[in-house]
Amino acid sequence: MTTILGCASGPGEPGTVLDLLIAGGWSCDAHGSNVIVQSADRRLKVQFRPERTPTVPRQPLWLIDYQPADGDTGRAWRAAFTDDTLAELIAAFFTLLDDDVELDDDLV
């Protein structure tokens, strides 16, 4: 058996991320190979987009959008990952998003 550093292991399988989210109760909608997964509250949306536009070959493989609910503090944001990003790193990103964070009132 050969052992390599995790950071050198390549992008991995999309199921690493998608299975984590679906097991957490996220809804899943597939359009060909492209998959959209949304959190139960619809504030987080993940797009896995292997079917690319031929005119834009290096668009992100993964897009993650957050939209706060009406009356929520915080701002909308987007994260994008290319096909070079480790699936395990993206899965860790979602694991951290699921943790509550306490902020000083000055930062909110």
Side-chain angles (χ1 to χ4, degrees):
M1 176 181 283
T2 303
T3 302
I4 61 172
L5 292 172
C7 60
S9 64
E13 293 295 321
T16 303
V17 177
L18 299 173
D19 293 346
L20 172 76
L21 299 175
I22 293 167
W26 292 43
S27 65
C28 179
D29 188 22
H31 304 277
S33 297
N34 294 339
V35 179
I36 298 173
V37 187
Q38 288 190 312
S39 61
D41 62 9
R42 307 299 239 195
R43 290 188 284 176
L44 274 167
K45 178 171 77 171
V46 177
Q47 298 177 63
F48 173 68
R49 309 171 329 151
E51 294 179 20
R52 317 262 180 105
T53 306
T55 57
V56 188
R58 287 295 292 176
Q59 62 186 346
L61 179 61
W62 296 90
L63 282 179
I64 298 95
D65 291 292
Y66 170 76
Q67 186 65 44
D70 291 338
D72 279 357
T73 58
R75 297 185 178 112
W77 54 264
R78 170 176 272 186
F81 298 100
T82 68
D83 50 355
D84 297 324
T85 306
L86 298 173
E88 293 81 2
L89 180 66
I90 300 168
F93 175 82
F94 284 107
T95 301
L96 289 172
L97 283 180
D98 198 31
D99 290 340
D100 290 335
V101 176
E102 290 188 33
L103 296 176
D104 291 333
D105 289 338
D106 297 346
L107 300 175
V108 180

